[in-house]
């Protein structure tokens, strides 16, 4: 190979190297953030998890309302995927099209049905939020902080509440604590906040000597389901609330359980 050709190849290699350097550096940073243990700590930096204080009530209720309202679009999509809903919309459209010989009337009727279905879901979520406001969230300190076996935690970043979680003895399960009111502000998701909040409840339950942690989540909260399963929770029950909106939309709830005491039979 001639001297000129070698110089051309060297220059080409240098140019390729310069072009690839930014890409390789970014790839290296992404890889180190995902795999190194300090990566999770960096993501959580600036977020403090502490117990509930008396002045947190309004911020907690606001965060809870925002978190619940975010599920309405996903619940509406879930509703549209149900065969009864699809059959109702299709039959309405076809029947009106055949009887009126007009496309406008069927489209208007289907639009009204969709609006009514969405409004029904909005009512269902608002009713649940109002129920929570009138029960455990009405006086958080009295409900969660007064008794020994219950507690409420908040995640705080720069003076703003970005996450909540709570636990109290489960109804009908005397050996379990129930994880409740898990919510993380959208701006602080994918940072490990929810996982740390869950671990607070698990550690608290273990220290209090309970056998398991139980919780209820919904069919549309897929991110929450994945989080719980990654932490070792297993799905033990699926059911639908006995109200009209839940039955019409087939809005299922899932019960998850994390056992903290190993079964003697499993040890063997």
């Amino acid at each position: 190979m001639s001297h000129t050709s070698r110089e051309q190849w060297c220059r080409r290699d240098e140019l390729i190297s310069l072009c690839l350097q930014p890409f390789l550096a970014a790839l290296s940073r992404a890889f180190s953030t995902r795999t190194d243990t300090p990566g999770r700590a960096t993501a959580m930096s600036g977020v403090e998890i502490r117990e509930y204080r008396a002045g947190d009530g309004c911020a907690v209720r606001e965060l809870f309302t925002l978190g619940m309202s975010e599920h309405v679009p996903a619940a509406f999509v879930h509703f549209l995927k149900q065969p009864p809903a699809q059959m109702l919309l299709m039959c309405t459209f076809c029947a009106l099209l055949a009887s009126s010989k007009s496309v406008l009337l069927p489209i208007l009727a289907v639009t009204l049905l969709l609006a009514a279905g969405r409004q029904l879901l909005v009512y269902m979520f608002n009713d649940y939020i109002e129920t929570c406001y009138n029960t455990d969230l009405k006086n958080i300190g009295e409900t969660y902080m007064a008794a020994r076996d219950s507690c409420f935690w908040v995640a705080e970043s720069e003076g703003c509440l970005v996450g909540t979680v709570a636990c109290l003895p489960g109804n009908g399960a005397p050996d379990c604590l129930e994880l409740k009111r898990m919510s993380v502000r959208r701006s602080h998701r994918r940072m490990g906040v929810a996982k740390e909040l869950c671990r607070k409840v698990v550690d608290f339950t273990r220290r209090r000597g309970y056998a398991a942690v139980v919780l209820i989540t919904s069919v549309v909260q897929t991110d929450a389901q994945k989080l719980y399963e990654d932490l070792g929770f297993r799905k033990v029950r699926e059911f639908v609330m006995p109200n009209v909106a839940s039955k019409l939309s087939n809005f299922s709830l899932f019960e998850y359980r994390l056992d903290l005491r190993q079964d003697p039979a499993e040890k063997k």
Side-chain angles (χ1 to χ4, degrees), residues 167-187:
C167 67
L168 45 66
N171 292 329
D175 62 336
C176 301
L177 288 187
E178 182 179 0
L179 185 151
K180 298 174 69 70
R181 306 299 168 242
M182 165 65 75
S183 184
V184 176
R185 196 175 294 273
R186 184 185 291 273
S187 60

Side-chain angles (χ1 to χ4, degrees), residues 153-165:
W153 295 269
V154 300
E156 187 176 31
S157 176
E158 299 179 354
C160 176
L161 294 192
V162 298
T164 63
V165 74

Side-chain angles (χ1 to χ4, degrees), residues 176-179 212-218 221-222 224-230 232-239 253-259:
C176 301
L177 288 187
E178 182 179 0
L179 185 151
V213 180
V214 296
L215 61 90
I216 302 292
T217 190
S218 71
Q221 294 173 272
T222 53
Q225 294 170 34
K226 186 177 185 307
L227 168 68
Y228 300 138
E229 289 168 2
D230 287 345
F233 285 81
R234 56 186 177 87
K235 189 190 300 183
V236 295
R237 186 164 65 107
E238 179 178 348
F239 60 99
L253 298 178
F254 302 143
E255 179 180 347
Y256 279 83
R257 178 185 177 100
L258 176 65
D259 291 303

Side-chain angles (χ1 to χ4, degrees), residues 39 130 154 170 250 268:
E130 189 67 26
V154 300
N250 192 28
K268 296 179 182 179

